[in-house]
Amino acid sequence: MDKIKKIIPETRIKKKVAALARRISRDYQGQELVLIGVLKGSFVFLSDLMRRLTIPVSLDFIQVSSYGASTLSSGVIKIRKDIDLPIVDKNVLIVEDIVDYGYTLDYLLRFIAPKKPASVKICALLDKPARRKVRVKIDYSGFKVPDEFIVGYGLDRAEKYRELPYIGILQK
Ligand code: IMP
Ligand code: MG
């Protein structure tokens, strides 16, 4: 059993999610929004976030090839599951768990653009800026985290720890 150091407790996550949802609801007032969750890590955050939104939304998911059990990024990304909903002329919000190198979101933005949405923005619960390789504009960002391996609240290490209600650092 690995040791995990809790860095963000449930209460802080809950407040942050509520604050992000208020901003998003205000910014898209009177409009419709398509939420695209990036599988699998974002699903816990997304499910909490969407229930706090006060605007009508549709929901879809996209999955990219993961880096595998390794904690290192290859920078090589492929689509494993595309979205099913048409997004032509729709406002799209990509919901991600964490931005690390930035490769995933950079790739997803390029992948989604040819589908001709009216707009595309990014919401990421966590931002790990230390190792960023490509610039990504995170429109709605939750917490900045240090250059450590983060688990919990949907984030995994080799498919473990997604179920933790808090966010923690996997101790080396
Ligand atoms: P990027 O392409 O390096 O920005 O990677 C983003 C993806 O890598 C995220 O969607 C996560 O699935 C995964 N990832 C990056 N850092 C961590 C971490 O600290 N814990 C768990 N997953 C991570
Ligand atoms: Mg992910």
Side-chain angles (χ1 to χ4, degrees), residues 1-128:
M1 179 70 188
D2 305 299
K3 269 190 87 175
I4 293 160
K5 180 179 158 204
K6 191 190 283 194
I7 55 166
I8 310 173
E10 275 181 87
T11 48
R12 273 187 75 202
I13 299 174
K14 207 171 169 185
K15 278 185 200 151
K16 185 66 79 176
V17 171
L20 288 170
R22 274 195 300 274
R23 272 181 61 204
I24 294 166
S25 300
R26 196 178 55 222
D27 291 355
Y28 290 94
Q29 193 144 52
Q31 301 176 63
E32 280 178 38
L33 185 60
V34 181
L35 300 172
I36 300 182
V38 185
L39 291 172
K40 303 176 194 172
S42 72
F43 91 103
V44 176
F45 171 46
L46 176 55
S47 76
D48 284 345
L49 182 76
M50 76 179 289
R51 283 176 289 176
R52 294 225 162 230
L53 295 174
T54 56
I55 47 163
V57 295
S58 318
L59 174 67
D60 208 338
F61 291 99
I62 200 162
Q63 186 167 25
V64 297
S65 55
S66 72
Y67 310 147
S70 149
T71 58
L72 278 180
S73 169
S74 58
V76 179
I77 293 158
K78 280 189 218 138
I79 297 290
R80 283 175 70 179
K81 186 223 168 284
D82 196 352
I83 52 170
D84 301 312
L85 297 178
I87 55 167
V88 185
D89 297 333
K90 305 280 187 189
N91 295 309
V92 166
L93 184 65
I94 302 176
V95 181
E96 176 61 305
D97 51 1
I98 184 167
V99 188
D100 185 8
Y101 289 87
Y103 291 137
T104 305
L105 282 173
D106 182 62
Y107 180 89
L108 284 177
L109 288 172
R110 291 170 205 274
F111 181 79
I112 282 170
K115 297 179 188 283
K116 300 268 182 277
S119 69
V120 185
K121 283 189 181 182
I122 290 171
C123 175
L125 180 65
L126 305 175
D127 180 7
K128 197 200 283 182

